[in-house]
């Protein structure tokens, strides 16, 4: 619990209207987009600048009070749920674009800036910020940095970490550090920039970021390939990459996902198909035409029923927007959707899809699969009901096996959502006990009192790994 | 660590309101919210404040916390439920298809049963409006008559001259200035209740005349009838219809709304119509949800479905079923136009701008189809009615109609899909937030450089008139109901 004197000091730092401890504020900061998790903080604070963040952390560190920094609460691993209470620090007020440097092609922004507003702004200046997480219309740049968000363009353009080249961050003791800069090369010491990207709010609070921008592609073409055979679609993904073609986007949706997305977006998608691939290529027009033609041939060779090309920009945009709704749209089937992001090397996509379906059948649970197949990042999503405890237990068992299968195929437990609370018990499966130890030491060096997002990333105990024979 | 509870818990202190909320809120809908946040960018109050509790996700979380027994609903809870505009922009944005509007109505209904925050005069005013006025068409007309006397007898000049209006809050003063001329004779009193189609008949439409619409915008109702006739519809106006009940439903007076709905269903059922036409987005949105409103009423449930399925906004009815001509044909027709048509009076004041001509096409011939012409080039823009767009899901039809007017350049208003802050009686109950939202809206409106700002709902229309007045744009731009604009430009081949 927060003592009155600490509350008073917090109010003095930010002004009384920007610290809240009423029941409404606590309830509305007790969750993020992760299903079935809720935990009340003791207070909510809205800093306006780096100096305030520094003063807040210094105070909380002295009193050993936990603090979770939060953007829009769209993450899916429980990363922003304040499991140990304390303070939720909402970064929305720090939402300015401080500078777009047209000479260096960089942007300096604050963490509370909305991702989509930012990318729209730079596109208006004739530049391009590629990371496009599914939640970009809602999410913040700070949240993207904390989780190292991916998105639909990851296979060709990389993810958030590939565009963050400098940071200002506040450490647990209130010290302010600056890393990197407007630099394409910088090897002065350990790469703290990269370390902080994806550190899930456990090492420092990012207060400013320098982002790399690139020239936009000249043209873009979007196509849909439809399959009666799920595995034909999955094999197509691996085959496109084998053929040395890297599309900008290569998304996979299975039949139940197609149905709910169409129910929401009313696009007239083919409901009788087992799977569709949503493919986009960008670049100069000659390359785009050549690649799209070649991809169409590959789709045909894997027995695609139909291949269609979007007629205009508006139609392409509609398709992409609809795809971003898939995760939530699946809630139309059952009230609860539990979404994971087990990721495998791209050549193993077909095997992974097979494994997911076999595991779901064996546990008698419904798991729909969609995702960024082109970079091996699948989203197996269980549709269930949080109120059915027995079924939820079977879902958890199934996901455990899915993590296991991903690792067996040379993959990982999470491609872009982060470890947070949900996958902490499985982190050791991926990084090993020595890996966990070195990570714990890093955490200790940054945050000796464990006030920054405690209870995340490192589990109290690792789940026992049951290695199954090949099915 | 709190796990979300699978069943309604009964822990914690439990006020009567909490019990009512637990019994009223649809727990399945609360569970369906994935908390993904897709509704946040769509929500005007979240946009204005950046506070989670001011978003649909936050409000649902508050409702669920009450249902789960994590929180006893207090005054802040009540305030937050009333802070929502009810614009429903979150619903089309929600991939999970959560029925937020229904949850909000359930919450407000519960709050109204127990609230102690209304002062005696608010209670009296609510009772007078919801029980004494709106349900009674005759009394509404009397009110219209009283207003008409005030506006026409010189009393208004006296009141304004005496400075008496200064006793009222600023937003009330501005509202008084922009109120259109009321009438105590509604559409049926003025033109009768049966109106045959012109030319080839497409079907029979029952006009929903509304209550505010019929007192403040009688001309718009008359123009709606004539537009529908010209497009091939027989129009009947069942006389026993009454207020739709929207203001009741949105203010937590569900029972009152249900009674009004039953009377309307009976009136239109007896009239044997193919469609029911609404020219007010706010009314139409409730009319199309009568099936939900009466879903557990054994006697009325199936008739309510019949009613809801047949209700369409006048613009959609014209576009999807009416005999309309393309813009090209309209342009050709317009070039043949000679003479002037009767100008629109009443509900829409004649154009004040010198740039806007009142010339419009004369109607010739007695068959063929309707087209729209505009003698002098004008620029028009459109503010969506939230309820028309988000509940009746009709945003294309009005635009199609506007784009089919020859010589009228349609300019899309930036964020036309965002609420203007009128939101039923929100601009009276939450003037501060409504004013803030309106100011942002008018910034975008100015950018269009339009002569006419068109809308599809009386509340939005008044709010737009208010905005134009407030931002000193009177004389440069006029807010007009889409129906009136089209009616003035109707021509028949």
């Amino acid at each position: 619990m927060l003592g009155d004197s600490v509350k008073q000091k917090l109010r003095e730092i930010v002004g009384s209207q920007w610290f809240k401890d009423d029941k409404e504020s606590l309830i509305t900061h007790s969750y993020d987009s992760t299903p079935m998790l809720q935990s009340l903080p003791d207070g909510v604070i809205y800093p306006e600048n780096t100096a305030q963040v520094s003063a807040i952390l210094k105070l909380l560190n002295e009193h050993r009070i936990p603090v979770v920094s939060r953007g829009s609460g769209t993450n899916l691993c429980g990363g922003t749920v304040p499991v140990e209470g304390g303070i939720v620090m909402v970064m929305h007020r720090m939402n300015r674009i401080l500078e777009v440097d047209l000479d260096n092609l960089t942007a300096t922004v604050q963490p509370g800036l909305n991702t989509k507003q930012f990318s729209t702004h730079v596109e208006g200046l004739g530049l391009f910020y590629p990371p496009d997480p599914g939640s970009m219309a809602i999410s913040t740049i700070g949240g993207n940095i904390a989780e190292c968000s991916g998105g639909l363009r990851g296979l060709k353009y990389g993810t958030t970490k590939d565009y963050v080249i400098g940071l200002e961050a506040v450490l647990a003791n209130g010290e302010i550090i600056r890393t990197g800069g407007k630099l394409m090369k910088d090897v002065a010491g350990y790469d703290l920039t990269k370390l902080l990207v994806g550190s899930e709010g456990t090492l420092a609070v990012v207060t400013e970021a320098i982002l790399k921008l690139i020239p936009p592609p000249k043209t873009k073409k979007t196509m849909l390939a439809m399959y009666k055979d799920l595995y034909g679609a999955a094999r197509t993904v691996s085959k496109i990459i084998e053929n040395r073609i890297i599309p900008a986007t290569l998304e996979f949706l299975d039949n139940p996902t197609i149905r709910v997305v169409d129910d929401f977006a009313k696009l007239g998608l083919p409901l009788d198909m087992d799977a569709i691939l949503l493919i986009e290529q960008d670049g100069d027009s000659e390359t785009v035409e050549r690649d799209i033609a070649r991809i169409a041939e590959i789709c045909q060779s894997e027995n695609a029923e139909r291949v269609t090309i979007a007629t205009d920009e508006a139609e392409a945009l509609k398709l992409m927007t609809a795809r971003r709704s898939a995760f939530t749209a699946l809630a139309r089937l059952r009230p609860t959707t539990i979404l994971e992001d087990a990721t495998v090397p791209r050549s193993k996509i077909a095997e992974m899809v097979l494994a997911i379906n076999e595991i779901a059948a064996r546990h008698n649970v419904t798991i729909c699969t969609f995702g960024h197949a082109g970079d091996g990042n699948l989203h197996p999503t269980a549709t269930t009901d949080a109120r059915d405890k027995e079924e939820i237990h079977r879902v958890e068992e199934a996901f455990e096996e899915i993590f296991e299968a991903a690792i067996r195929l040379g993959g990982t437990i999470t491609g872009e959502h982060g470890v947070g609370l949900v996958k902490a018990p499985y982190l050791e499966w991926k990084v090993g006990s020595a890996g966990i130890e070195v990570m714990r030491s890093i955490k200790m060096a940054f945050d000796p009192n464990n006030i920054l997002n405690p209870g995340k990333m490192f589990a109290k105990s690792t789940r026992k790994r049951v290695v199954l024979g090949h099915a | 660590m709190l796990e979300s509870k699978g069943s309604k818990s009964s822990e914690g202190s439990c006020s009567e309101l909490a019990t009512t909320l637990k019994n009223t809120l649809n727990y399945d809908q609360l569970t369906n919210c994935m908390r993904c946040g897709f509704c946040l960018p769509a929500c005007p109050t979240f946009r204005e404040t950046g506070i989670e509790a001011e978003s649909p996700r936050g409000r649902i979380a508050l409702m669920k916390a009450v249902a789960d027994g994590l929180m006893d609903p207090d005054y802040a809870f009540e305030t937050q439920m009333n802070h929502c505009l009810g614009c429903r922009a979150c619903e089309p944005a929600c991939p999970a298809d959560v029925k937020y509007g229904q949850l909000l109505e359930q919450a407000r209904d519960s709050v109204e049963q127990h609230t102690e925050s209304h002062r005696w005069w608010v209670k009296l005013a609510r009772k007078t409006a919801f029980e004494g006025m709106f349900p009674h068409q005759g009394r509404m007309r009397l009110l219209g008559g009283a207003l008409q006397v005030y506006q026409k007898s010189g009393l208004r000049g006296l009141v304004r001259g005496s400075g008496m209006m200064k006793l009222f809050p600023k937003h009330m003063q501005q509202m008084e200035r922009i109120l259109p001329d009321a009438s105590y004779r509604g559409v049926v009193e003025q033109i009768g209740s049966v109106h045959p189609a012109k030319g080839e008949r497409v079907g029979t439409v029952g006009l929903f005349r509304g209550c505010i619409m019929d007192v403040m915008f009688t001309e718009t109702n008359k123009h709606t009838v004539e537009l529908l006739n010209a497009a091939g519809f027989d129009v009947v106006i069942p006389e026993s219809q009454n207020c739709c009940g929207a203001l009741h439903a949105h203010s937590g007076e569900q029972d009152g709304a249900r009674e009004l709905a039953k009377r309307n269903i009976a009136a239109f059922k007896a009239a044997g119509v193919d469609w029911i036409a609404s020219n007010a987005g706010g009314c139409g949105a409730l009319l199309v949800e009568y099936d939900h409103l009466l879903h557990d009423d054994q006697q009325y449930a199936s008739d309510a479905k019949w009613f809801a399925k047949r209700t369409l906004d006048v613009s959609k009815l014209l576009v999807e079923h009416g005999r309309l001509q393309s813009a090209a044909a309209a342009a050709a027709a317009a070039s043949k136009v000679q003479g002037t048509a009767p100008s629109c009076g009443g509900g829409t004041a004649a154009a004040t701008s010198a740039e806007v001509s009142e010339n419009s096409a004369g109607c010739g011939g007695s068959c063929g189809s309707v087209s729209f012409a505009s003698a002098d080039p004008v620029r028009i823009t459109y503010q969506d009615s939230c309820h028309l767009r988000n509940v009746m899901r009709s945003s294309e039809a009005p635009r199609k109609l506007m784009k089919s007017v020859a010589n009228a350049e349609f300019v899309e208003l930036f964020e036309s899909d965002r609420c203007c802050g009128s939101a039923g009686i929100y601009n009276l109950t939450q003037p501060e937030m409504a004013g803030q939202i309106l100011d942002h809206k008018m910034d975008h409106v100015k950018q269009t450089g339009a002569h006419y700002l068109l809308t599809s709902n009386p509340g939005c229309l008044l709010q737009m008139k208010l905005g134009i007045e407030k931002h000193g744009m009177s004389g440069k731009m006029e807010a007009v109901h889409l129906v009136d604009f089209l009616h003035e430009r109707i021509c028949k081949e």
Side-chain angles (χ1 to χ4, degrees):
Chain A
M1 279 306 285
L2 279 180
D4 284 345
S5 75
V6 174
K7 285 185 186 180
Q8 188 48 40
K9 284 179 184 147
L10 289 170
R11 286 196 178 94
E12 281 163 17
I13 295 168
V14 290
S16 59
Q17 75 175 107
W18 297 114
F19 173 78
K20 294 174 189 285
D21 61 349
D22 58 288
K23 197 78 186 198
E24 273 74 16
S25 299
L26 304 187
I27 292 278
T28 51
H29 294 86
S30 63
Y31 54 79
D32 55 20
S33 301
T34 319
M36 301 186 300
L37 290 180
Q38 192 170 15
S39 174
L40 292 174
D42 300 305
V44 182
I45 199 160
Y46 302 80
E48 195 187 0
N49 54 46
T50 306
Q52 288 184 0
V53 173
S54 167
I56 293 164
L57 289 186
K58 197 164 183 275
L59 176 72
L60 298 178
N61 195 39
E62 278 166 21
H63 293 270
R64 309 283 190 271
I65 294 165
V67 56
V68 183
S69 50
R70 186 181 194 270
S72 297
T74 55
N75 77 69
L76 296 159
C77 62
T80 29
V81 179
V83 279
E84 298 191 10
I87 300 292
V88 170
M89 196 193 292
V90 181
M91 307 307 284
H92 274 170
R93 289 176 73 207
M94 296 175 64
N95 63 354
R96 285 180 306 144
I97 300 173
L98 300 170
E99 179 198 46
V100 177
D101 182 338
L102 296 174
D103 298 330
N104 282 306
L105 302 193
T106 61
T108 307
V109 304
Q110 291 186 311
L113 175 65
N114 173 272
T115 313
K116 191 170 181 189
Q117 282 175 0
F118 173 64
S119 81
T120 306
H121 180 80
V122 299
E123 278 166 30
L125 298 170
L127 289 162
F128 184 38
Y129 178 71
D132 62 338
S135 59
M136 70 188 291
I138 321 143
S139 69
T140 61
I141 294 286
N144 296 169
I145 292 171
E147 301 295 327
C148 187
S149 305
L152 280 70
R153 295 193 277 242
L155 72 159
K156 181 171 181 176
Y157 288 103
T159 61
T160 303
K161 70 176 184 301
D162 301 302
Y163 294 87
V164 179
I165 54 176
L167 290 172
E168 177 189 78
V170 183
L171 301 178
N173 61 7
E175 295 275 352
I176 300 167
I177 57 168
R178 293 193 75 93
T179 72
K182 294 181 183 176
L183 302 161
M184 296 304 129
K185 289 180 176 174
D186 175 17
V187 291
Y190 296 141
D191 192 343
L192 295 180
T193 311
K194 285 278 193 286
L195 176 63
L196 291 181
V197 177
S199 62
E200 304 189 20
T202 60
L203 300 181
V205 176
V206 170
T207 48
E208 205 175 286
I210 300 173
L211 305 171
K212 182 173 80 176
L213 304 172
I214 60 174
K218 288 188 179 62
T219 60
K220 199 158 55 171
K221 259 214 151 93
T222 309
M223 64 191 277
L224 276 180
M226 305 157 207
Y227 295 79
K228 280 269 162 67
D229 166 28
L230 186 74
Y231 306 111
R235 280 193 306 273
T236 302
V237 174
S238 304
K239 219 166 160 179
I240 291 170
I241 308 296
E242 259 171 54
N243 274 273
R244 311 283 190 277
I245 301 170
I246 309 291
T249 294
L250 177 41
E251 294 285 317
F252 174 98
L253 291 91
D254 70 358
N255 177 282
T257 313
I258 298 168
R259 285 175 174 276
V260 292
V261 166
D262 199 64
D263 192 36
F264 168 59
K266 309 277 188 287
L267 294 168
L269 292 173
L271 303 182
D272 56 339
M273 294 291 162
D274 239 21
I276 53 179
L277 293 177
L278 170 58
I279 306 162
E280 189 166 88
Q281 181 57 308
D282 61 13
D284 62 79
S285 62
E286 200 181 322
T287 313
V288 171
E289 293 296 336
R290 196 183 55 231
D291 283 355
I292 290 286
R294 188 73 195 91
I295 291 169
E297 279 169 31
I298 295 168
C299 295
Q300 306 289 8
S301 76
E302 286 294 348
N303 304 323
E305 290 284 314
R306 269 209 308 282
V307 177
T308 60
I309 292 172
T311 45
D312 57 22
E313 180 68 19
E315 193 186 340
L317 187 67
K318 255 193 195 150
L319 286 169
M320 289 296 166
T321 309
R323 155 61 191 88
R324 288 178 205 282
S325 73
F327 144 64
T328 314
L330 283 163
R332 289 171 181 238
L333 299 173
R334 300 280 304 280
T336 310
T337 59
I338 303 178
L339 169 82
E340 284 301 347
D341 67 330
T343 301
V344 292
R346 294 180 288 201
S347 61
K348 303 287 187 191
I349 281 286
E351 278 177 74
M352 189 65 203
V353 170
L354 260 171
I356 290 168
N357 288 351
E358 183 274 324
I359 291 166
R362 200 154 29 78
H363 289 274
N364 189 24
V365 292
T366 307
I367 296 186
C368 309
T369 300
F370 65 93
H372 321 298
D375 52 22
N377 179 208
L378 283 174
H379 291 318
T381 301
T383 58
T384 174
D385 189 330
R387 291 165 288 189
D388 184 342
K389 294 287 171 251
E390 187 273 332
E391 186 177 315
I392 292 290
H393 181 67
R394 279 186 281 122
V395 168
E396 283 167 356
E397 285 184 328
F399 273 127
E400 206 154 282
E401 285 188 31
I402 288 171
F403 297 148
E404 164 62 37
I407 290 173
R408 192 180 67 234
L409 292 169
T412 180
I413 55 172
T414 171
E416 60 183 8
H417 297 165
V419 174
L421 198 65
V422 175
K423 282 181 289 263
Y426 308 99
L427 181 60
E428 196 172 319
W429 294 13
K430 171 68 178 75
V431 302
S433 61
I436 288 273
E437 273 321 299
V438 80
M439 287 186 189
R440 277 190 194 279
S441 314
I442 292 169
K443 166 74 174 168
M444 193 51 116
F446 272 85
D447 178 20
N449 296 322
N450 194 22
I451 64 159
L452 293 169
N453 209 0
K456 311 293 166 65
M457 191 88 77
F458 304 105
K460 292 189 173 63
S461 65
T462 291
R463 290 286 299 181
K464 194 167 163 355
R465 191 171 165 190
V466 183
V467 181
L468 296 159
H470 288 234
Chain B
M1 184 78 200
L2 297 160
E3 288 271 315
S4 290
K5 292 180 175 51
S7 61
K8 298 185 189 186
S9 103
S10 54
E11 305 170 353
S13 66
C14 218
S15 63
E16 281 178 22
L17 171 56
T19 309
T20 307
L21 279 162
K22 282 180 197 186
N23 294 332
T24 311
L25 288 167
N26 180 333
Y27 200 81
D28 283 343
Q29 287 296 336
L30 292 174
T31 312
N32 278 349
C33 171
M34 297 279 310
R35 307 184 298 209
C36 70
F38 271 73
C39 54
L40 270 63
C43 176
T45 53
F46 179 74
R47 157 86 65 104
E48 294 295 330
T49 61
I51 304 284
E52 177 79 16
E54 298 265 9
S55 76
R57 178 173 72 173
R59 292 184 181 114
I60 288 174
L62 293 174
M63 294 179 206
K64 190 164 185 293
V66 172
D68 288 339
L70 294 177
M71 183 177 106
D72 204 42
D74 52 6
Y75 179 63
F77 176 87
E78 184 181 324
T79 310
Q80 190 48 261
M81 293 307 129
N82 290 330
H83 228 208
C84 167
L85 291 148
C87 73
R88 315 273 290 269
C90 47
E91 289 188 35
C94 175
D97 201 24
V98 174
K99 308 280 186 229
Y100 173 83
Q102 294 174 16
L103 288 169
L104 179 72
E105 283 181 8
Q106 288 158 1
R108 284 183 177 172
D109 195 26
S110 309
V111 165
E112 276 316 311
Q113 289 175 42
H114 298 282
T115 185
E116 287 160 11
S117 67
H118 290 332
R119 300 205 190 128
W120 66 267
W121 51 269
V122 174
K123 280 191 175 148
L124 183 68
R126 283 178 67 100
K127 199 174 164 65
T128 307
F130 290 132
E131 290 170 33
M133 293 302 305
F134 283 103
H136 308 283
Q137 206 76 22
R139 294 181 196 170
M140 286 301 286
R141 271 202 293 280
L142 276 176
L143 182 70
L147 197 55
Q148 192 175 12
V149 168
Y150 167 76
Q151 289 169 329
K152 298 253 164 86
S153 67
L155 186 61
R156 175 163 65 184
L158 206 65
V159 167
R160 287 181 183 174
S162 72
M164 205 192 316
M165 279 311 294
K166 292 200 179 75
L167 298 173
F168 288 90
K170 198 166 168 142
H171 66 278
M172 295 288 274
Q173 293 174 39
Q174 285 166 328
M175 199 43 110
E176 187 271 345
R177 275 204 297 278
I178 55 102
L179 273 188
D181 289 344
S183 159
Y184 74 97
R185 294 173 72 242
V187 63
V188 174
E189 291 71 31
Q190 290 190 29
I191 60 172
S193 59
V194 180
H195 305 272
K198 299 265 192 314
E200 199 185 332
R201 188 180 157 279
V202 180
T204 306
V205 172
L207 174 70
F208 187 80
R209 69 183 168 201
C211 43
I212 303 271
M213 264 324 274
D214 214 33
V215 167
M216 301 297 258
F217 300 98
T218 324
E219 290 299 312
T220 308
N221 272 348
K222 280 158 57 181
H223 295 158
T224 306
V225 171
E226 287 169 32
L227 260 182
L228 288 167
N229 287 162
F233 300 98
D234 286 346
V235 178
V236 293
I237 312 173
E239 291 190 56
S240 56
Q241 61 174 297
N242 51 214
C243 163
C244 63
L247 291 177
H248 296 68
H250 305 327
S251 310
E253 307 275 349
Q254 292 288 323
D255 287 344
R258 277 190 274 268
E259 284 316 304
L260 292 164
K262 288 176 191 173
R263 292 212 289 265
N264 282 329
I265 292 166
F268 283 86
K269 191 89 191 170
V273 296
D274 301 317
W275 296 286
I276 296 145
S278 146
N279 58 13
C283 303
L286 188 73
L287 300 179
V288 301
E289 291 191 330
Y290 272 4
D291 54 343
H292 161 70
L293 189 68
L294 294 165
H295 70 278
D296 53 6
D297 185 300
Q298 284 181 332
Q299 194 188 339
Y300 276 90
S302 79
D303 282 356
K305 276 197 186 111
W306 173 91
F307 187 99
K309 217 166 54 203
R310 273 165 186 69
T311 303
L312 285 178
D313 181 73
V314 57
S315 55
K316 202 164 186 161
L317 200 53
L318 288 169
V319 167
E320 291 187 1
H321 304 283
R323 292 195 328 264
L324 289 180
Q325 245 183 42
S326 67
S335 63
K336 297 181 209 160
V337 170
Q338 285 171 356
T340 56
S343 71
C344 299
T348 58
T352 44
S353 161
E355 298 164 89
V356 178
S357 151
E358 284 177 47
N359 287 351
S360 75
C363 300
S366 62
C367 63
S369 54
V370 173
S371 55
F372 303 106
S374 181
D376 286 344
V378 289
R379 182 178 293 173
I380 55 178
T381 191
Y382 180 69
Q383 162 62 26
D384 280 275
S385 145
C386 294
H387 285 116
L388 182 58
R389 186 184 181 101
N390 301 324
V391 184
M392 299 177 90
R393 303 286 168 106
S394 180
S395 56
E396 282 307 309
R399 285 172 171 79
K400 271 196 180 133
L401 288 168
M402 287 179 282
K403 286 173 184 169
S404 73
V405 179
N407 261 342
E409 181 200 358
F410 174 72
V411 187
E412 188 64 66
L413 166 66
F414 179 67
E415 293 189 343
S416 55
D417 58 344
R418 272 190 179 263
C419 185
C420 62
S422 166
I425 49 173
Y426 190 92
N427 52 0
L428 301 176
T429 57
Q430 309 275 351
E432 197 181 337
M433 178 69 86
Q436 213 174 312
I437 290 171
L438 178 61
D439 290 347
H440 287 157
K441 176 64 67 187
M442 295 320 288
D443 291 344
H444 302 322
V445 166
K446 270 184 205 146
Q447 297 297 317
T448 64
H451 306 106
Y452 288 112
L453 168 57
L454 305 178
T455 72
S456 295
N457 182 55
C460 315
L461 183 56
L462 289 175
Q463 181 82 341
M464 292 297 91
K465 285 176 183 285
L466 188 67
I468 288 171
E469 163 84 13
K470 199 174 160 186
H471 286 250
M473 292 147 67
S474 302
K476 292 192 208 71
M477 188 188 286
E478 194 192 349
V480 177
H481 194 296
L482 173 63
V483 162
D484 297 319
F485 178 80
L486 293 173
H487 179 269
E488 199 173 55
R489 282 154 184 78
I490 196 169
C491 66
K492 285 185 43 81
E493 276 298 276

